[in-house]
């Protein structure tokens, strides 16, 4: 029996507008045929469109964690509003007629089944793919080009350091952006983004603040050039060297990990349950992408993972915008990227399960109970210049207290305090929202916080993202 | 570890990043730090490394290498500093938390997509934002904690409709507990947004226990920009402690300040406050005081003003009545109307009854411009209409006899007190409506007023759109004879409003009207057709006739209603209607219309085939 909740359908929708339009189709009763297969694992129907013929659409739940939507409409959004409407109609309890699976879908199912079989065979070793041939001379060429580009980048950075940030102007910004473009075409997309970020910092109006971060960015580029060069030289020596799956250097250089590579490196956990603790989306001008970020606790462990979905500005219309997720996500295979405390993870399908109190209890059990211990772990990560600058940690505190200067601080059971404040790298403020929160929530609770070291003040501050207490969850971001 | 020294070094390096590493050679401020670092370096190797780095940076080398040195030292220093960040609270922890500040009923259960749309709408500029904000308000999204700061920010939105909506609807819905927030963010030198903010404060009222908020209000009342002062003073009405200040402000040189004070005094409603308002009312601030009283009319205040009003109205001949005298008379009377606009008072009712029923006893009416006299009588009529008594109805009827301009008031009052049949008898049986042919100008105006009043009754506004009353309400509340009367008057819009089954003249009327109707009358024709008791085939035939009599050569669009009706023709007629429509296509000149018709024909054919 197919169980569909509207919140789950919302989460499948590529964006809010598609969900709204899908609902609209049901309200305006545009569906003239609604069918469900005998096994109730396939919804199919016809929907009136603006054209002569109706759109024929279906949603196939044969693999329940990854429903497949098909539609004859020309939309490039998946699922399209028609498929979403079909699901909303079902969730609303509108009557669906039982019917046989249409032929075209049956044949598509067969093909999919075959693909699965082949995949299984490949995994069990029955069928072997041809070993991927690495074109060594091409690789060599690529590495040489990367090294050359690193050299140029170093020259540029040093000339900036020599001249000083005070002398930079619009022309500098322009030339930095042009240089960034060249880095991209020399297979150094990671460096491209960071150089563009520097250019953006120099464009900011408040120069006093941006100088501090720009200086930090210059040292970061320095660290990256040093480490990247060493890594590339080693690779040049030994072309058979596998990519480094333990550090983030590959990602810095611009490598996009493929799931197969991660699997090969043993970076997969099976049958994992994740609980989303916080979500936000921001516009990363340096990457020229929207970045949807989620922080998820792996239930039964104390690891907080990060999901990152990049939506290039150019492709925004056709990509799914992620959303807050309030259920527990059951995941068959969790792929873990190399990285520090909140390393990125990816997965292919989600099976939702209603969140229960036990899940929140498990979350609180996984929290750090001592502020100094948590801070120590954070600092340990921050001392590596190439590590994520804003780690996220869950801490159990006895109180979130106000301070006399109108700020807030965490207090743990031993009386240690941790000043709260808004993080520069997070585009959304949340600390002041604490003054609105029901005060009963601010004692004996768990706080998910993002850290950042402020070079100008020499302080390590934390921004509260979410508060957990008993069966209550207050998300201060999303 | 000496963090201050490290932090000092960081500051110096930052300075070099801004000035350029070329200036690092022999930099005396860095050189001054070097021995201190070296000294600490004897115990901690990191300091030694830093000391060496600083020495190399300031020592002799070529510029390129110096830049590398700066980067190296900085990299090391940043790593060290990252492990040294101070985390303890910067100020003392407050043990007693202020209770009144939180908004515990706010939730955080909405998702990113729901919130982000509204947050963007309230942070950006551009079209379509108003609809997003209002629909979010209707969905209750503003009950989410995370939208509260945006609701506050909306007060200063560049699109004033959004700002006004926030002040009128969104913010008041949070209740009085947000007043401290509103006041803590107030900029007393600000402009319109601060007025809106104080408008919300005035509506919600300040908790008398909340000393800090009252203090802020008084501060704004004393020091703010004129408009802000006025709005802040107006908020102080409910608090007795400020009465003396209010009285003082009501004598201020600035008009805005006096205006605020009057508003507060009207709410205050103490004896002294009333005395002051009474004086102002009689002086040059009459309109300001009247507006203040109109906003908060108290029975005691009306008691004081009524004798003045009546005396003025009853005053006998005062010499020559020229244009100037008429205007003067009006400006003396107008403040009373403003002050009594929303008032309810038995004495006021008595006066209005007498005024409307016995106009000759009030010679002042005769000394007004005709239009102004009507304004006063309409004011009285509107008051009487809402009292719902026989006495008032009687007076209203007499007013109506005097001038059809008062017909709507009498009609509404009659409709409330009479049965549908009585209402019809009154207006058509014996009243203005009985005349078949209208000859005199007055009777013409009367009939027009009757038709217009019916229109207002039958098509009530919903938002910006007039909506026909529901069918069952029409049949229950309106006498069926109205329909005949309207058919005789040939008012298609009203006929369609009252169309109901059981009238044999309706169908012929529709058929007749169709012959001369305009393109845009379609809606009224079809609504009448829906309500009349013709059978399916007749209705179908009329629909097809309507389509066929169009001048397709000059038609470039079709109403959605028309195409929907065509798509709904009974199954057994689908094929025939497709044929008849196809015959029309040859005349159509516009491609989009042609496509539309083809689509309809296609759909009809398919239906015909599937039967």
């Amino acid at each position: 029996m197919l169980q569909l909740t509207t919140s789950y359908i919302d989460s499948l929708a590529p964006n809010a507008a598609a969900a709204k339009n899908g609902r609209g189709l049901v309200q305006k009763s545009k569906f003239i045929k609604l069918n469900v297969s005998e096994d109730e694992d396939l919804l199919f129907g016809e929907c009136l469109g603006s054209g002569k013929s109706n759109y024929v659409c279906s949603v196939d739940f044969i693999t329940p964690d990854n429903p497949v939507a098909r539609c004859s409409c020309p939309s490039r959004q998946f699922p399209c509003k028609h498929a979403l409407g079909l699901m909303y109609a079902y969730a609303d309890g509108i009557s669906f007629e039982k019917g046989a699976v249409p032929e075209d879908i049956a044949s598509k199912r067969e093909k999919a089944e075959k693909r699965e079989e082949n995949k299984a065979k490949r995994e069990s070793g029955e069928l072997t793919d041809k070993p991927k041939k690495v074109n060594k001379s091409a690789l060599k060429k690529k590495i040489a080009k990367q090294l050359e580009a690193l050299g140029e980048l170093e020259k540029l950075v040093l000339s900036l350091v020599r001249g000083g940030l005070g002398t930079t102007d619009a022309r500098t910004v322009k030339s930095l952006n042009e240089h960034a473009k060249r880095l991209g075409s020399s297979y150094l997309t990671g460096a491209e983004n960071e150089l563009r970020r520097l250019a953006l910092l120099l464009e900011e109006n408040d120069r006093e603040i941006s100088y501090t971060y720009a200086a930090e960015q210059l040292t970061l580029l320095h660290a990256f050039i040093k480490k990247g060069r060493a890594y590339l030289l080693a690779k040049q020596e030994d072309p058979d060297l596998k990519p480094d799956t333990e550090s983030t250097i590959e990602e810095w250089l611009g490598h996009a990990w493929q799931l197969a590579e991660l699997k090969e490196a043993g970076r997969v956990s099976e049958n994992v349950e994740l609980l989303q603790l916080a979500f936000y989306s921001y516009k990363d001008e340096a990457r020229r992408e929207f970045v949807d970020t989620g922080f998820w606790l792996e239930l039964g462990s104390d690891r907080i993972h990060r999901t990152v979905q990049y939506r290039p500005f150019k492709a925004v219309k056709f990509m799914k915008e992620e959303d807050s997720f309030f259920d527990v996500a059951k995941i068959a295979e969790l792929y873990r990227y190399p990285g520090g405390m909140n390393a990125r993870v990816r997965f292919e399908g989600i099976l939702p399960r209603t969140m229960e109190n036990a899940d929140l209890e498990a979350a609180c059990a996984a929290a750090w109970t001592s502020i100094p211990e948590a801070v120590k772990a954070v600092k340990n990560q921050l001392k590596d210049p190439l590590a994520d600058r804003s780690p996220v940690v869950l801490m159990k505190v006895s109180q979130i207290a106000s301070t006399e200067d109108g700020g807030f601080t965490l207090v743990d059971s031993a009386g240690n305090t941790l000043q709260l404040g808004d993080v520069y790298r997070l585009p959304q403020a949340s600390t002041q929202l604490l003054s609105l929160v029901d005060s009963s929530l601010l004692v004996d609770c768990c706080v998910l916080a993002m850290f950042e070291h402020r070079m100008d003040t020499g302080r390590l501050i934390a921004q509260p993202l979410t508060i957990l207490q008993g069966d209550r969850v207050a998300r201060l971001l999303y | 570890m000496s963090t201050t020294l490290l932090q000092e070094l960081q500051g110096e390096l930052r300075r070099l990043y801004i000035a350029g590493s070329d200036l690092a050679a022999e930099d005396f401020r860095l050189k001054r730090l070097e021995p201190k670092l070296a000294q600490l370096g004897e115990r901690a190797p990191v300091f030694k490394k830093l000391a060496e780095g600083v020495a190399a940076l300031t020592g002799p080398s070529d510029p390129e290498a110096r830049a590398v040195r700066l980067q190296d030292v900085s990299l090391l220093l940043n790593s060290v500093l990252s492990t040294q960040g101070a985390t303890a609270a910067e100020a003392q922890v407050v043990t007693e938390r202020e209770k009144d500040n939180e908004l515990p009923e706010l939730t955080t259960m909405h998702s990113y997509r729901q919130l982000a749309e509204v947050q963007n709408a309230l942070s950006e500029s551009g079209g379509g934002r108003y609809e997003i904000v209002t629909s979010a308000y209707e969905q209750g999204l503003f009950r989410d904690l995370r939208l509260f700061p945006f609701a506050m920010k909306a007060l200063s939105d560049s699109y004033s409709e959004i700002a006004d909506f926030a002040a009128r609807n969104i913010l008041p819905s949070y209740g009085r507990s947000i007043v401290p927030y509103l006041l803590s963010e107030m900029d007393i030198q600000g402009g319109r947004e601060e007025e809106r903010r104080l408008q919300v404060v005035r509506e919600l009222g300040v908790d008398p226990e909340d000393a800090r908020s009252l203090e802020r209000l008084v501060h704004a009342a004393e020091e703010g920009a004129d408009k802000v002062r006025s709005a802040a003073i107006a908020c102080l009405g409910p608090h007795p402690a400020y009465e003396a200040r209010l009285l003082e402000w009501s004598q201020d040189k600035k008009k805005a300040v006096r205006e605020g004070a009057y508003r507060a005094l009207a709410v205050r409603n103490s004896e002294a406050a009333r005395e002051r308002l009474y004086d102002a009312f009689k002086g040059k601030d009459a309109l300001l005081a009247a507006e203040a009283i109109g906003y908060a009319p108290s029975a005691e205040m009306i008691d004081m003003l009524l004798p003045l009003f009546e005396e003025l109205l009853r005053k006998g001949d005062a010499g020559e009545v020229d244009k100037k005298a008429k205007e003067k008379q009006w400006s003396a009377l107008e403040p009373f109307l403003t002050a009594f606009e929303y008032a309810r008072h038995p004495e006021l009712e008595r006066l209005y009854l007498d005024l409307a029923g016995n106009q000759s006893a009030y010679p002042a009416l005769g000394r007004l411009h005709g239009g102004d006299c009507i304004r006063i009588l309409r004011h009285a009529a509107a008051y009487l209409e809402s009292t719902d008594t026989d006495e008032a109805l009687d007076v209203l009827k007499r007013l109506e006899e005097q001038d059809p301009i008062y017909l709507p008031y009498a009609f509404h009052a009659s409709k409330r007190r009479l049965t549908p049949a009585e209402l019809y008898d009154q207006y058509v049986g014996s009243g203005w409506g009985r005349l078949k042919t209208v000859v005199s100008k007055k009777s013409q105006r009367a009939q027009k007023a009757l038709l217009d009043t019916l229109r207002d009754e039958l098509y009530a506004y919903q938002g910006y759109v007039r909506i026909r009353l529901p069918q069952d309400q029409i049949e229950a509340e309106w006498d069926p004879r109205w329909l005949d009367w309207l058919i005789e008057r040939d008012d298609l819009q009203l006929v369609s409003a009252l169309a109901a089954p059981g009238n044999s003249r309706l169908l012929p009327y529709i058929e007749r009207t169709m012959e001369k109707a305009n393109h845009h009358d379609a809606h009224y024709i079809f609504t009448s057709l829906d309500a009349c008791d013709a059978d399916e085939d007749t209705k179908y035939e009329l629909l097809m006739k309507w389509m066929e009599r169009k001048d397709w050569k000059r038609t470039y669009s079709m109403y959605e209603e028309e195409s929907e009706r065509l798509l709904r023709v009974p199954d057994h007629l689908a094929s025939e209607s497709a044929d008849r429509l196809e015959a029309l296509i040859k005349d159509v000149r516009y491609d989009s219309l042609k496509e539309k018709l083809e689509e309809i024909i296609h759909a009809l054919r398919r239906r015909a085939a599937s039967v």
Side-chain angles (χ1 to χ4, degrees):
Chain A
M1 176 70 198
L2 187 55
Q3 291 284 350
L4 276 178
T5 60
T6 44
S7 68
Y8 175 61
I9 305 169
D10 286 343
S11 77
L12 291 176
N15 51 50
K20 200 172 154 191
N21 293 338
R23 278 212 187 90
L25 292 175
V26 181
Q27 274 162 13
K28 285 184 232 152
S29 35
K30 293 275 187 185
F31 284 96
I32 51 170
K33 247 171 83 180
L34 290 168
N35 293 102
V36 60
S37 65
E38 294 289 341
D39 304 332
E40 300 203 12
D41 56 1
L42 175 78
L43 302 179
F44 56 104
E46 284 184 30
C47 183
L48 281 175
S50 54
K52 262 180 223 168
S53 47
N54 301 324
Y55 295 125
V56 181
C57 61
S58 65
V59 186
D60 195 346
F61 290 88
I62 195 153
T63 46
D65 59 346
N66 191 16
V68 181
R70 301 183 177 97
C71 188
S72 63
C73 77
S75 167
R76 285 172 68 180
Q77 295 187 331
F78 290 99
C80 64
K81 61 181 179 181
H82 308 104
L84 290 167
L86 199 61
M87 288 190 271
Y88 284 123
Y90 192 82
D92 287 353
I94 293 172
S95 78
F96 275 59
E97 217 174 297
K98 287 256 161 106
V101 177
E103 240 174 69
D104 56 329
I105 292 175
S107 74
K108 278 187 175 135
R109 276 183 167 185
E110 265 169 41
K111 276 185 201 159
E113 218 170 290
K114 249 194 190 137
R115 271 202 300 274
E116 283 300 311
E117 267 170 35
N118 282 341
K119 204 175 158 193
K121 271 186 198 164
R122 223 173 288 150
E123 268 166 27
S124 61
E126 266 182 64
L127 249 173
T128 42
D129 280 332
K130 275 184 238 161
K132 257 194 186 164
K133 251 196 199 161
V134 179
N135 186 339
K136 281 189 186 163
S137 65
L139 184 64
K140 227 173 186 169
K141 254 190 196 162
K142 180 180 168 187
I143 294 176
K145 193 149 190 199
Q146 283 178 318
L147 278 168
E148 190 193 334
L150 266 188
E152 273 175 35
L153 175 63
E154 185 170 31
K155 261 189 214 151
L156 176 77
V157 168
L158 288 181
S159 79
L160 265 177
V161 173
R162 280 187 57 193
L165 294 169
T167 61
T168 55
D169 52 17
R171 260 203 356 243
T172 326
V173 171
K174 200 176 162 209
S175 78
L176 284 181
N177 280 327
E178 278 163 10
H179 196 102
K181 220 172 177 180
R182 286 206 294 282
L183 286 174
S185 50
S186 306
Y187 316 106
L188 285 181
T189 43
E192 175 190 358
N193 295 336
E194 294 312 315
L195 194 60
R196 209 178 287 129
R197 207 178 299 284
L198 178 66
L200 283 168
L201 282 167
L202 294 178
E203 267 181 323
E204 265 185 35
N205 290 328
D206 188 351
R207 285 233 146 180
E208 272 314 305
I209 293 180
S210 69
Y211 279 150
T212 309
Y213 285 95
E216 215 183 326
Q217 187 71 8
L218 282 172
T219 41
L220 172 90
L221 282 167
H222 183 60
F224 160 70
I225 292 165
K226 270 179 32 175
K227 205 159 177 188
R229 179 176 291 139
Y231 179 74
L232 287 173
L233 284 174
K235 222 173 166 182
Q236 203 175 30
E237 290 283 303
D238 177 11
D240 289 330
L241 201 66
K242 292 262 179 228
D244 183 354
T245 53
E246 290 307 315
S247 80
T248 51
I249 187 66
E250 278 286 356
E251 239 176 300
W252 278 102
L253 287 169
H255 181 67
W257 287 108
Q258 289 178 7
L259 295 186
E261 288 175 310
L262 292 172
K263 198 166 193 179
E264 202 180 320
R267 305 197 69 93
V268 181
S269 317
E270 283 179 2
N271 297 325
V272 177
E273 289 195 324
L274 296 183
L275 174 66
Q276 193 182 67
L277 295 178
F279 176 86
Y280 68 98
S281 177
Y282 67 99
K283 197 175 181 179
D284 190 334
E285 294 283 356
R287 299 189 64 103
R288 297 190 176 155
E289 284 173 322
F290 287 99
V291 186
D292 303 338
T293 310
F295 290 102
W296 307 70
L297 178 80
E298 185 179 332
L299 290 174
S301 81
D302 56 4
R303 283 187 291 273
I304 294 174
H305 302 295
R306 176 200 312 255
T307 50
V308 185
Q309 143 112 325
Y310 296 111
R311 289 180 291 128
F313 293 166
K314 281 180 194 163
V316 151
K317 269 194 199 160
F318 316 116
M319 288 190 73
K320 183 179 168 187
E321 179 188 30
E322 293 292 329
D323 196 5
S324 322
F325 196 81
F326 298 103
D327 293 328
V328 169
K330 291 163 71 170
I331 283 150
E333 282 183 323
L334 183 75
Y335 298 84
R336 292 175 284 114
Y337 280 49
M341 297 177 84
N342 322 109
R344 183 180 172 188
V345 291
R346 263 172 71 191
F347 38 80
E348 281 189 311
I350 285 188
L351 259 186
R353 160 172 87 67
T354 318
M355 185 180 67
E356 289 156 14
N357 279 354
D359 299 318
L360 290 172
E361 277 164 31
C364 284
W368 294 87
T369 49
S370 151
I371 288 177
E373 295 282 317
V375 165
K376 203 173 148 191
V378 167
K379 286 180 173 174
N380 202 31
Q381 162 152 330
L382 290 182
K383 75 179 181 203
D384 173 4
L386 293 184
D388 173 27
R389 307 313 294 159
S390 42
V392 168
V393 166
L394 186 65
M395 288 168 284
K396 188 159 180 49
V397 297
S398 62
Q399 197 193 352
I400 304 174
S402 323
T403 54
E404 278 173 353
D405 56 358
F408 289 92
T409 178
L410 299 182
V411 186
D412 71 3
S413 55
N416 299 301
T417 58
L418 171 63
Q419 177 80 33
L420 297 177
D422 289 331
V423 163
Y424 181 79
R425 289 177 171 83
L426 195 64
Q428 187 110 353
S430 63
T431 310
Q432 279 311 314
L433 288 178
L434 287 172
S435 65
L436 306 170
V437 173
D438 182 1
S439 57
S440 67
L441 196 61
L442 303 183
V443 282
D444 289 323
C445 54
C446 288
V447 180
L448 184 78
M450 181 181 275
F451 282 85
E452 182 184 69
H453 183 86
R454 303 289 286 266
M455 279 299 166
D456 47 352
T457 57
R459 297 195 66 93
L460 178 67
I461 53 156
Q463 177 173 348
L465 310 183
T466 299
I467 305 171
L468 310 175
Q469 184 202 53
D471 58 350
R472 298 158 82 188
V473 181
R475 293 187 180 213
L476 301 179
L477 282 185
Y478 299 104
Chain B
M1 206 176 265
S2 170
T3 320
T4 20
L5 183 61
L6 291 177
Q7 204 60 42
E8 200 178 328
L9 178 59
Q10 204 274 335
E12 297 305 332
L13 294 183
R14 177 177 180 273
R15 178 173 58 81
L16 282 181
Y17 267 112
I18 298 168
S21 64
D22 284 358
L23 300 176
E26 300 297 319
D27 184 280
F28 77 97
R29 283 160 80 171
L30 267 180
K31 284 192 109 161
R32 213 182 48 202
L33 292 177
E34 193 199 321
K36 292 187 198 165
L37 288 166
Q39 196 188 351
L40 287 169
E42 285 165 21
R43 272 175 292 158
V46 166
F47 281 94
K48 199 174 163 207
K49 261 183 141 175
L50 284 171
E52 285 165 11
V54 170
L57 175 59
T58 53
S61 76
D62 73 279
E64 190 98 329
R66 204 184 294 283
V68 177
R69 301 239 156 84
L70 175 59
Q71 292 273 62
D72 282 338
V73 184
S74 183
L75 185 58
L76 177 60
L77 178 67
N78 283 357
S79 282
V80 177
L81 275 175
S82 295
T83 65
Q84 297 301 316
T87 52
E90 281 175 279
Q92 278 293 311
V93 168
V94 182
T95 38
E96 280 295 301
R97 198 174 178 219
E98 283 174 65
K99 276 278 167 210
D100 49 328
N101 262 9
E102 65 207 46
L103 297 167
E105 74 279 13
L106 297 189
T107 65
T108 62
M109 48 180 237
H110 293 101
S111 75
Y112 162 75
R113 278 190 203 161
Q114 290 175 302
L115 298 173
E117 188 187 28
V118 189
Q119 292 178 339
N120 289 339
L122 288 173
S123 334
E124 291 164 2
S125 56
R129 301 185 299 130
Y130 183 77
E131 283 68 29
I132 293 175
V133 174
T134 49
S135 85
Y137 173 70
E138 278 156 24
Q139 289 166 36
L141 272 175
F142 282 96
R143 304 316 298 165
D144 196 295
L145 180 73
R146 292 158 292 178
L147 285 189
F148 178 66
F150 290 87
M152 297 274 271
K153 213 167 77 177
L155 283 176
S156 55
D157 199 283
S158 59
Y159 185 53
S160 64
E161 269 84 346
I162 289 184
D164 288 337
F165 185 79
R168 230 182 13 249
N169 302 77
I170 302 174
L171 287 169
S173 75
Y174 287 105
R176 188 179 273 193
S177 50
I178 67 160
V179 168
Y181 288 99
L182 284 166
L183 290 175
S184 66
E185 286 183 13
M186 176 172 54
D187 166 19
I188 61 167
Q189 299 304 330
R192 185 76 188 93
E193 62 183 282
E194 305 304 323
E195 282 181 66
R196 288 196 193 99
R197 183 188 301 280
L198 288 163
Q199 174 196 329
V200 181
V201 172
R202 181 151 77 123
E203 188 172 337
L204 294 172
V206 183
D207 182 355
E209 307 278 303
D210 184 0
R212 193 195 269 184
S213 292
L214 283 173
E215 210 175 278
R216 284 187 173 126
L217 262 186
V218 174
H219 178 63
E222 282 166 350
E223 313 275 330
D226 285 356
K227 290 273 177 72
V228 176
R229 285 187 72 185
S230 174
I233 292 170
C235 297
L236 290 170
H239 305 281
Y242 300 101
E243 186 170 320
R245 298 297 312 272
L246 291 176
L247 290 170
E248 195 183 304
W249 278 319
S250 75
Q251 308 274 11
D252 199 278
K253 281 201 304 265
K254 286 182 170 151
K255 186 180 166 196
V257 174
R258 293 200 303 277
E259 187 180 7
Y262 292 142
R263 292 192 169 202
L265 287 171
V267 175
R268 185 82 286 277
N269 194 27
S270 66
E271 206 177 324
R274 288 195 296 270
E275 283 298 331
R276 177 69 198 100
L277 281 171
Y278 185 77
D279 287 344
F281 197 94
K282 288 204 292 188
K284 64 178 166 47
D285 278 351
L287 266 181
L288 291 185
E291 274 165 19
I293 297 167
Y295 182 79
S298 69
E300 297 92 332
M301 195 71 231
I302 294 168
D303 277 335
M304 288 171 83
L305 293 177
L306 263 180
L308 272 186
F309 189 33
E310 190 165 351
E311 187 193 336
L312 205 56
L313 286 167
R314 283 191 188 275
K315 211 162 147 195
D317 196 359
E320 199 188 339
V321 186
D322 55 7
K323 201 176 156 199
K324 227 173 183 175
K326 283 181 176 173
E327 273 163 15
K328 203 173 157 196
Q329 182 77 31
W330 170 246
S331 57
L333 286 167
E334 192 190 6
F336 289 97
L337 298 186
T338 311
F340 298 153
E341 175 117 42
Y342 305 105
R344 281 285 165 273
H345 193 287
E347 282 301 302
L348 187 61
E349 184 180 337
R350 183 201 53 77
L351 177 63
Y352 279 156
L353 271 175
D354 196 48
L355 177 71
N358 193 10
Q359 288 162 32
S360 56
Y362 299 88
L365 290 179
R367 291 196 301 275
L368 285 168
H369 284 298
D372 291 337
C373 178
I374 288 172
R375 271 162 87 174
I376 293 184
L377 287 172
R378 286 176 91 149
H379 205 90
Y383 188 105
L384 295 175
E385 180 199 320
S386 64
T387 58
D388 198 13
T389 61
D390 284 333
E391 206 184 353
L393 181 57
D394 190 49
V395 171
L396 286 173
K397 276 195 207 157
R398 269 190 281 151
L399 269 183
E400 178 189 73
E401 274 301 317
Q402 178 189 330
D403 190 329
I405 212 165
Y406 307 109
L407 185 139
Y409 305 98
F411 189 91
H412 295 312
S414 304
K415 179 156 189 293
R416 208 175 311 165
R417 297 192 71 75
L418 304 179
T419 63
E422 283 169 350
L423 181 73
Y424 176 80
D425 286 336
Q426 179 179 313
Y427 278 92
V428 181
S430 59
W432 289 109
R434 72 186 183 282
L435 305 167
K436 278 225 162 143
T437 47
V438 279
V439 193
S440 76
K441 261 192 178 163
K442 192 171 175 182
S443 53
Q444 254 175 17
R445 274 175 53 214
Q447 288 234 351
K448 187 169 178 301
L450 184 54
L451 289 171
D452 287 344
T453 311
L454 283 172
R455 228 180 298 280
D456 285 339
E457 284 271 344
L458 294 168
Y459 289 100
Y461 271 107
Q462 269 185 16
Y464 296 112
V465 199
R466 280 174 174 246
I467 306 285
R468 182 184 189 253
L469 292 179
Q471 189 70 31
D472 48 349
Q473 197 179 338
I474 285 167
E475 288 172 28
E477 291 178 10
W478 292 85
D479 191 290
R481 288 172 294 170
W482 281 112
L483 186 56
D484 291 293
W485 186 75
L486 288 166
I487 288 175
E488 278 161 24
R489 260 95 211 134
D490 189 18
D491 190 311
L492 175 62
Q493 190 191 13
L494 288 175
V495 167
S496 85
L498 285 180
N503 190 319
S504 58
R505 292 166 69 187
L506 183 55
L507 188 60
Y509 172 74
I510 297 171
E511 285 170 340
R512 237 179 16 250
T513 312
M514 216 180 231
E515 293 303 318
K516 56 176 189 185
N518 271 322
H519 184 56
H520 52 256
D521 287 331
H523 172 70
Y524 298 120
I525 299 237
F526 290 128
T527 322
S528 316
L529 202 54
D530 280 345
C532 88
D533 40 14
D535 55 53
E536 282 297 324
D537 287 8
T538 318
K539 284 181 184 175
Y540 159 78
E541 192 50 44
L542 283 175
L543 172 64
M544 292 315 293
K545 264 193 187 151
W546 172 259
M547 302 309 294
E548 282 164 354
R549 66 167 281 279
K550 278 182 190 235
D551 181 1
W552 288 98
K553 277 184 188 145
R554 263 183 260 164
T555 306
Y556 52 88
S557 74
M558 220 166 128
Y559 286 110
E560 190 63 29
E561 201 179 347
E562 293 172 319
S563 50
E564 269 172 25
R565 272 165 204 277
L566 285 171
L567 285 170
R568 281 206 305 262
V569 301
D571 283 344
H572 67 277
L573 295 165
S575 159
E576 196 212 273
S577 63
D579 292 341
R580 284 170 76 169
L581 286 176
E582 201 141 47
L584 301 174
I585 276 193
K586 62 177 193 317
D587 284 340
V588 179
R589 286 190 184 164
Y590 294 87
D591 285 344
S592 63
L593 180 60
K594 200 175 257 178
E595 270 171 32
K596 180 109 204 167
L597 272 174
E598 276 167 356
E599 258 170 42
I600 294 172
I601 293 165
H602 183 83
L604 286 171
R605 290 240 188 275
R606 216 164 30 164
R607 191 134 62 86
S610 71
V611 171

